[in-house]
């Protein structure tokens, strides 16, 4: 523990906090005996996976627990005053003025029918902090301060006219408007692209230094915590596993859970030396590219008669048995590309050859037969499984579609593959909603593999999962690849994951290929400035540099 | 924008034409003389020459599609044919009955809106869960009451038991009190339900959390953030409400013996007066189409998301 | 080593435990049913029994009056009083249930079958056929439901079944619209695409995924329409376009009671209360379906 000198009273002191939700009959305890403190100007990161109680803890501090949530025990002291049991009316004087919030999802956190200026100005009106005629000027200067160009125009615009990063800047402007002592930033960047994420975190850092505000940073990403926090509090299942100075926690974690998290976090993983040699060693001139994409173009009808090019002259090749990553931020055309590869979308121009079959000549029954060879695993394991089918039904269905097997054989095969992906037998008869996210993604992988495909396309297949679950799924994928000789096309926005598991990579921006080659080439000698920017934006740099 | 407008108006005209065709098929495509025979009923007191005029105006001796084209032409010029029952042009019947219905419907709709807004906003402002529950169950009760029975109950209670509203020779406004209430209750129910649902829905949106984090209290949030977001989608049920209003007017006017379009409709069905009913159907479809057109054109004005973008969103 | 016997015992114990578990789960589900919902089911069940076996509930004839017992107030002998011809009102309400229920079932059945059929076809075939069906739906929605019902009644004539058809036709457009929206929603889901991706043919995907997932809310809507159909049929009965007198249809009962509004309040009050209760119950039950579907 760091020793805090007596003369600096903490801004926030949470002690023995227990929080519970009332679900019908019995209260469900979600936060158990949590204690930590935040000193003025300090950044404390609350780190944990989903269900760890980190967001609930943060909500309780600003008095915004859901209607069925309540503080069971403990105190939340703001400058020495316990506000844990304050009424809503009392808390209203504190919210916005002394504690403020930067929310999780900038997309929905601004009122869609009010303009930006009104929404920032509102906080002055609520607290009666400024004379009405001063508000407009103050709003403009705040917009300028958070780095928005043309602040006068922005004040008149509506949220839908701004990008996600710009909206988050507006929300930060609201949070700093009354110079609070504490800003709670609840996953402030998890909905944003990595490059935008870095800029937003830089801005929060800068403002903290300028105003001396303390920041409580709630995040699932140890990398972000490592880069930004002075101290780290690690939560699991509502209990504190470990807390201390960031450097100490990261360098010498004491709790096994923290060690597990650190091991799972792809941003800390050293570039793995994959057994790539055999893949690459095939003699030159011998064609063993199982996926060939050549001059792929996909246009969509834009506004009026204009055409929008989602994918523009994209070419790459994937060796049999290797993993090829397609990397890009939102709108880079990566999703369109893979939909063409698996045959869901017809490209405007270009050629796609999968295992010697040219996709453009396929239609109807031929296309259906082709689907056995290439399978897609979706990003969202909640939406890609039919809620009304049992797990066994989901996995036997592809076999039924190519029905050459008897019912008993189908079920035996599904049974074998479900066991292979590490699912316990007692879930086979259940429906998807009874399974966790990681389990569902295993089901989706089993469904894809049951047809014995050669190529598996993974569309952000681990992005929605917690890091420890993500690490286990990635390990499973690597195992399956070496056992079954699969080829992966792995789509991701997360460069850390990409570096960990792939052999070759294509970096996409605005539908164009900006960089490509083996992972070591691209990561160590990026050719484009954009790739460099992406690599620099990977959180957790500070720790890697230190290590 | 103008392309959108043209497209929208074109759609409206199509719906109108198709509604006319459906009503023609349902109501007039029976053998022409079946209707016209009724005009020869001596009770109507029409002269032979008048009957011949009516026959000509229906193009009764031509094939069905000629009648169809003929009738469309007539409708476009505001000639809706003759009432079998009254032997007078339908248009003059409508003109005579419209004012009473307009008055009733306007007042009923206003009262319904007031009721709905009161129910929705009070239930979301009240700190007491029991009152909230009670207020929110009002619409589901209202929606389950047959309009005609409500009217009868009101007469029974207020006119016969409490003798508050006279039945015989009431004043022009007195006679409207009970009908307006009767009409407002079934209209207010769907309106309140939609409002309550949208308010609850908007209340859970993240921007409301942000407003609370700014230190705003419940009233502030309800009026400045939730109200407009919840009222906007309510506009989309305007057309449905209009249909309810027509149904309510027919029943209410029948129960209270008011002499409006509703009463006219009821009598037209009773005497199988197809021409009158067809005119009413087509005019209602016209009103429906206009209401929806207005709502669609109003939306971009009220909702900034539907306006064209001002600046680049980079 | 586990012997056969112990294994057998274990499985038997397991099965017993499971059965007990199921029983207690069923009991706790029953206990968790809100009282309002339980009451609603009770009301609907009672009315259903009225329709099926009215003689179980009353010995009076619904059509033949008792001489000298005209316009009697509710008493122990005549629970809800008698009408101007000395007929027992309670008996008439019970015998009227069959008219309202059959009417509502015919109306909802018509809307459900025709409307859902059109909607599912529009949603799955798409393109031109979809456009044509949905334009037609728009047109039907543009005519106020009551006026549409009345037009059909003019065409078909008065009567219980005709009134039911007239009410059913007005709900076709609503069913079609909902069914199409649901089909389109389900079609867009990842699991439908995944089903095509794993080699599903159009028919198999439609049958295995699209229909089961889209019809849940259609069924919830159907149960909601049931209450509304009871209301509309009673309205047509009241206006005199449904079953002819002396049929004890509920709307008609209220219409007949109107003539004695100042002297015999029970004649209008009682059947109206019954209608309100049935509609409330139907709506409450459909609401619980909707929640289960969500």
């Amino acid at each position: 523990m760091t020793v805090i000198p007596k003369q600096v009273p903490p801004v926030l002191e949470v002690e023995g906090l227990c929080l519970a939700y009332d679900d019908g009959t019995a209260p469900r305890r979600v936060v158990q005996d949590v204690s930590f403190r935040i000193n003025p100007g300090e950044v404390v990161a609350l780190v944990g996976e989903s269900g760890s109680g980190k967001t609930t803890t943060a909500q309780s501090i600003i008095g915004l627990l859901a209607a069925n949530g309540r503080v069971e025990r403990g105190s939340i002291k703001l400058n020495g005053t316990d506000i844990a049991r304050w009424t809503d009316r009392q808390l209203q004087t504190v919210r916005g003025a002394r504690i403020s919030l930067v929310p999780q999802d900038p997309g929905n956190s601004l009122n869609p029918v009010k303009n930006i200026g009104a929404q920032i100005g509102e906080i002055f009106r609520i607290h009666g902090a400024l004379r009405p005629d001063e508000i407009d000027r103050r709003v403009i200067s705040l917009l300028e301060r958070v780095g928005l160009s043309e602040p006068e125009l922005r004040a008149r615009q509506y949220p839908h006219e701004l990008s996600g990063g710009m909206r988050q800047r507006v929300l930060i402007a609201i949070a700093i408007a009354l110079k609070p002592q504490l800003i709670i930033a609840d996953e402030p960047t998890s909905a944003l692209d990595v490059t935008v994420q870095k800029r937003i975190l830089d801005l929060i850092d800068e403002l903290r230094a300028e105003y001396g505000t303390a920041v409580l940073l709630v995040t699932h990403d140890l990398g972000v915590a490592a880069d930004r926090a002075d101290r780290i509090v690690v939560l699991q299942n509502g209990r504190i596993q470990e807390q201390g100075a960031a450097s100490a926690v990261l360098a010498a974690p004491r709790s096994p859970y923290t060690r597990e998290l650190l091991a799972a976090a792809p941003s800390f993983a050293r570039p793995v030396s994959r057994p790539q040699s055999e893949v690459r060693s095939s003699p030159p001139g011998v064609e063993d590219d199982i996926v060939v994409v050549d001059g792929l173009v996909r246009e969509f009808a834009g506004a009026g008669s204009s055409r929008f090019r989602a994918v523009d002259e994209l070419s790459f090749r994937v060796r049999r048995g290797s993993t090829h990553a397609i990397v890009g931020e939102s709108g880079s055309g990566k999703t369109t590309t893979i939909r063409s590869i698996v045959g869901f979308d017809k490209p405007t121009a270009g050629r796609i050859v999968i295992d010697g079959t040219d996709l453009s000549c396929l239609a109807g029954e031929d296309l259906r037969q082709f689907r056995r060879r290439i399978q897609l695993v979706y990003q969202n394991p909640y939406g890609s499984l039919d809620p009304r089918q049992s797990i066994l039904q989901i996995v036997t269905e592809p076999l039924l579609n190519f029905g050459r097997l008897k019912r008993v054989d189908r079920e035996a095969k599904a049974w074998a593959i479900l066991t292979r992906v590490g699912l316990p037998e007692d879930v086979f008869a259940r429906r998807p909603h009874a399974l966790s996210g990681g389990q569902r993604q295993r089901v989706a992988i089993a469904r894809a593999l049951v047809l014995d495909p050669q190529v598996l396309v993974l569309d952000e297949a681990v992005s929605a999962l917690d890091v420890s679950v993500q690490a286990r799924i990635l390990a499973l994928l690597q195992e399956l690849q070496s056992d079954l000789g699969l080829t992966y096309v792995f789509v991701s926005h997360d460069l850390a994951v990409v570096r960990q598991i792939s052999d070759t990579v294509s970096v996409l921006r605005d539908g164009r290929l900006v960089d490509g080659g083996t992972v070591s080439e691209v990561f160590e000698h990026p050719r484009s400035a954009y790739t460099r920017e992406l690599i620099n934006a990977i959180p957790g740099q500070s720790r890697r540099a230190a290590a | 924008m103008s392309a959108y407008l043209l497209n929208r108006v074109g759609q409206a005209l199509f719906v109108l034409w198709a509604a006319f065709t459906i009503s023609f098929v349902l109501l007039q495509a029976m053998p022409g003389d079946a209707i016209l025979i009724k005009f020869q009923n001596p009770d109507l007191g029409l002269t032979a020459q008048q009957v011949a005029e009516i026959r000509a105006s229906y193009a009764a001796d031509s094939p069905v599609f000629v009648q169809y084209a003929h009738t469309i032409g007539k409708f476009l010029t505001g000639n809706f044919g003759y009432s079998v029952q009254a032997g007078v042009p339908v248009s003059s019947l409508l003109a005579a009955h419209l004012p009473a219905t307009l008055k009733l419907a306007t007042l009923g709709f206003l009262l319904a809106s007031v009721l709905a807004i009161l129910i929705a906003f009070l239930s979301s402002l009240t700190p007491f869960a029991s009152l909230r529950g009670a207020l929110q169950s009002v619409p589901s009760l209202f929606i389950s009451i047959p309009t005609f029975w409500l009217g009868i109950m009101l007469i029974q209670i207020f006119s016969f038991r409490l003798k508050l509203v006279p039945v015989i020779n009431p004043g022009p406004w007195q006679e409207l009190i009970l009908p307006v209430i009767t009409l407002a209750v079934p209209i207010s129910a769907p309106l309140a339900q939609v409002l309550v649902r949208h308010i609850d829905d908007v209340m859970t949106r993240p921007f409301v959390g942000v407003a609370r984090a700014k230190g705003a209290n419940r009233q502030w949030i309800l009026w400045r953030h939730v109200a407009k977001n919840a009222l906007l989608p309510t506009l989309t049920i305007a057309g449905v409400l209009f249909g309810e209003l027509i149904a309510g007017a027919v029943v209410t006017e029948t129960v209270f013996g008011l002499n409006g379009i509703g009463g006219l409709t009821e009598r037209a069905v009773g005497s199988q007066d197809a021409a009158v009913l067809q005119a009413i159907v087509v005019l209602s479809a016209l009103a429906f189409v206009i209401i929806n057109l207005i709502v669609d054109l109003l939306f971009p004005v009220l909702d900034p998301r539907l306006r064209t973008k001002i600046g680049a969103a980079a | 080593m586990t012997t056969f016997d112990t294994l057998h015992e274990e499985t038997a114990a397991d099965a017993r435990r499971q059965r007990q578990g199921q029983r207690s789960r069923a009991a706790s589900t029953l206990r968790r049913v809100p009282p309002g919902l339980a009451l609603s089911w009770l009301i609907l069940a009672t009315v259903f029994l009225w329709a099926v076996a009215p003689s179980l509930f009353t010995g009076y004839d619904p059509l033949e009056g008792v001489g000298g017992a005209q316009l009697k107030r509710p008493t122990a002998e005549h629970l809800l009083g008698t009408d101007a011809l000395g007929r027992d009102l309670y008996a008439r309400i019970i015998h009227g249930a069959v008219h309202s229920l059959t009417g509502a079932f015919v109306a909802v059945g018509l809307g459900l079958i025709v409307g859902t059929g059109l909607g599912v076809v529009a949603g799955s075939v798409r393109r031109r056929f979809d456009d044509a069906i949905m334009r037609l739906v728009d047109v039907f929605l543009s005519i106020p439901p009551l006026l549409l019902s009345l037009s059909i009644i003019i065409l078909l004539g008065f009567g219980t079944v005709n009134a039911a058809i007239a009410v059913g036709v007005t709900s076709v457009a609503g069913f079609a619209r909902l069914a199409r929206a649901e089909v389109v929603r389900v079609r867009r889901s990842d699991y439908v695409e995944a089903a095509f991706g794993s080699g599903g043919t159009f028919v198999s995907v439609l049958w295995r995924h699209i229909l089961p997932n889209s019809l849940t809310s259609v069924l919830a809507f159907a149960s909601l329409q049931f209450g509304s159909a009871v209301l509309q049929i009673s309205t047509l009965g009241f206006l005199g376009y449904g079953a002819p007198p002396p049929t004890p249809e509920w709307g008609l009962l209220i219409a007949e009671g109107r003539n004695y509004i100042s002297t015999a309040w029970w004649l209008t009050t009682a059947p109206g209360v019954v209608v309100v209760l049935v509609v409330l119950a139907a709506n409450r039950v459909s609401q619980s379906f909707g929640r289960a579907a969500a």
Side-chain angles (χ1 to χ4, degrees), chain A residues 486-503:
Chain A
L486 292 168
T487 307
Y488 291 151
V489 176
F490 187 90
V491 175
S492 183
H493 68 281
D494 189 339
L495 272 92
V497 172
V498 166
R499 186 176 47 186
Q500 200 184 340
I501 74 147
S502 47
D503 302 304

Side-chain angles (χ1 to χ4, degrees), chain C residues 11-275:
Chain C
T11 38
D14 250 20
R16 217 174 306 135
R17 224 171 298 138
Q18 220 165 18
R19 262 200 307 276
Q20 270 170 2
Q22 273 165 4
R23 209 173 307 147
S24 67
R25 216 173 305 140
S28 74
T29 320
L30 260 184
R31 241 177 286 125
R32 254 183 287 131
V33 169
L37 184 59
L39 190 67
S40 302
W41 274 112
L42 188 70
I43 291 173
L44 291 185
T46 311
V47 173
F48 184 72
L49 282 180
W50 284 359
V52 179
S55 46
L56 285 182
F57 294 88
T58 176
Y60 290 106
D61 189 304
L63 303 179
E64 285 290 317
V66 180
Q70 288 96 336
L71 293 177
K72 285 272 185 286
R73 287 176 167 280
T75 56
E77 198 183 342
H78 296 284
L79 280 177
L80 296 174
T82 60
D83 70 1
L85 297 176
R87 294 174 296 197
D88 182 66
L89 183 60
Y90 178 62
R92 282 176 70 71
I93 290 176
I94 286 172
H95 283 272
V98 69
H99 299 282
S100 295
L101 289 200
T102 12
F105 273 119
V106 169
V108 173
L110 181 73
L112 184 67
I113 293 167
V114 179
T116 312
L118 283 175
V120 167
V121 170
S124 22
V125 178
R126 311 297 297 277
R127 279 188 282 274
R128 221 172 291 164
F129 202 58
D130 178 21
D131 280 351
I133 292 179
M134 291 332 284
R135 282 293 87 76
L136 193 68
V137 163
D138 281 348
V139 173
F140 270 98
L141 288 174
S142 75
I143 302 173
L146 184 69
L147 294 184
L148 189 57
S149 295
L150 295 181
S151 307
I152 289 163
I153 281 176
I154 284 206
L155 185 73
L156 298 179
F158 300 165
T160 312
V161 178
N162 289 351
I165 293 173
V167 170
V169 169
T170 62
S171 66
V172 166
F175 273 106
R177 207 176 197 184
L178 177 71
R180 176 184 176 275
E182 283 294 300
V183 167
V184 168
R185 178 185 65 84
V186 174
R187 266 185 76 122
R188 278 204 211 106
S189 67
D190 281 352
Y191 61 81
V192 165
E193 195 182 80
F196 281 117
S198 55
T201 55
F202 178 76
V203 175
S204 69
V205 175
L206 185 73
W207 184 249
R208 278 188 216 136
H209 301 282
I210 298 179
L211 287 184
N213 281 293
S214 49
L215 292 188
T216 325
S217 35
V218 173
L219 289 179
F221 183 68
S223 61
L224 188 68
Q225 281 295 310
F226 184 81
S228 144
V230 169
L231 264 187
Q232 290 183 59
I233 285 171
S234 74
T235 301
L236 293 179
F238 169 80
L239 292 172
Y241 310 142
T247 317
E249 196 273 331
W250 293 342
L252 197 58
L253 287 185
I254 299 174
E256 287 169 354
R258 252 177 101 192
N259 303 330
Y260 309 95
I261 191 168
S262 55
T263 49
W265 56 267
W266 57 92
L267 284 180
T268 45
T269 310
V273 170
V274 171
V275 173

Side-chain angles (χ1 to χ4, degrees), chain A residues 277-295:
Chain A
S277 44
E278 50 184 301
V279 177
R280 306 219 178 290
S281 63
S282 56
V286 173
E287 277 284 307
D288 200 19
D289 290 332
I290 192 164
V291 177
V292 178
V293 175
D294 196 14

